[in-house]
Amino acid sequence: AMILSLLLLLLPSVVVSHYTMYDWKAMPDTAKSSNSTSCEDAPCEDTSCEDAPILSYHIHVLYWYNNAQHTRSALALREAFIKHFELEDKHCDIAFDDPAPGHDICVFPLQDAPAGPFTDAQFAFFIPPHRFRDTSGWMIQHRTLHDLFIHPNTGCEIKDHTQWYIWAGVKWPIDASRLTCDYPGCVPKHG
């Protein structure tokens, strides 16, 4: 009984620390944090992804990590993009799933195995809106045999990755169950 009481006391703080919009709206008021009065700690009731502003973009290049030739070609494409856009020292200091409005173009670390919603290896670049046209155009023209997944970052991760995307090449499976944010400007809490 003591353990059950302790769990009931801790449950609201655990629930509030990681949620989706759908979870939040379905959650009883007693489970929501009573001191949350702004959108910073929890989604506002009137937030909607329908017209969410685009805060940034990602360009992902997917490749077969178990194929040495495909991997070499993908890494050569990555290096050519980095060189062309002078990104040698511009490593991302933000999380993959942070829409980071106002952040400059940067290079995410390689993911040489399935991670996040991706079922194979991939690498990505963070693209601010004013750089979308030149970076996506360059990558589309130079992708050769590689498949590109380009999506906006609005905070509405599910729609960003399953409805508002662009594929160049073959469409790969995306595991949307790994996406948790679903309201404009959302940044998932990790840890």
Side-chain angles (χ1 to χ4, degrees):
M2 184 178 202
I3 293 174
L4 182 58
S5 297
L6 183 60
L7 284 174
L8 290 174
L9 282 173
L10 294 176
L11 184 60
S13 64
V14 172
V15 170
V16 170
S17 69
H18 194 74
Y19 49 80
T20 68
M21 179 62 125
Y22 303 111
D23 295 335
W24 185 261
K25 285 184 175 179
M27 193 183 306
D29 289 337
T30 56
K32 297 176 184 175
S33 173
S34 60
N35 62 1
S36 177
T37 58
S38 74
C39 296
E40 293 176 12
D41 299 319
C44 293
E45 290 299 320
D46 63 349
T47 58
S48 170
C49 287
E50 292 312 309
D51 293 311
I54 294 174
L55 304 173
S56 59
Y57 294 89
H58 285 169
I59 297 175
H60 297 269
V61 176
L62 292 84
Y63 63 96
W64 305 322
Y65 68 95
N66 60 354
N67 179 311
Q69 181 179 356
H70 205 250
T71 298
R72 275 192 305 276
S73 177
L75 297 180
L77 175 60
R78 182 178 188 263
E79 289 307 312
F81 185 91
I82 289 170
K83 184 176 180 179
H84 181 81
F85 291 102
E86 299 176 354
L87 302 175
E88 289 84 356
D89 297 320
K90 296 196 177 178
H91 305 284
C92 293
D93 58 0
I94 53 174
F96 266 104
D97 44 13
D98 185 344
H103 199 282
D104 200 12
I105 186 173
C106 60
V107 181
F108 284 113
L110 282 171
Q111 290 189 326
D112 57 1
F118 298 100
T119 58
D120 218 311
Q122 61 91 29
F123 59 83
F125 302 97
F126 177 90
I127 310 296
H130 71 279
R131 297 299 307 271
F132 176 76
R133 188 177 193 177
D134 64 327
T135 56
S136 61
W138 188 95
M139 188 61 86
I140 288 167
Q141 290 178 324
H142 294 87
R143 70 179 186 85
T144 61
L145 59 95
H146 297 287
D147 304 309
L148 306 181
F149 178 60
I150 303 171
H151 66 83
N153 297 307
T154 64
C156 302
E157 286 186 309
I158 295 166
K159 287 191 177 199
D160 290 345
H161 289 80
T162 64
Q163 293 180 24
W164 300 333
Y165 58 80
I166 299 168
W167 280 99
V170 176
K171 182 178 177 181
W172 291 43
I174 297 293
D175 181 2
S177 72
R178 305 293 304 264
L179 306 171
T180 59
C181 264
D182 204 20
Y183 64 91
C186 177
V187 178
K189 296 180 180 180
H190 299 280

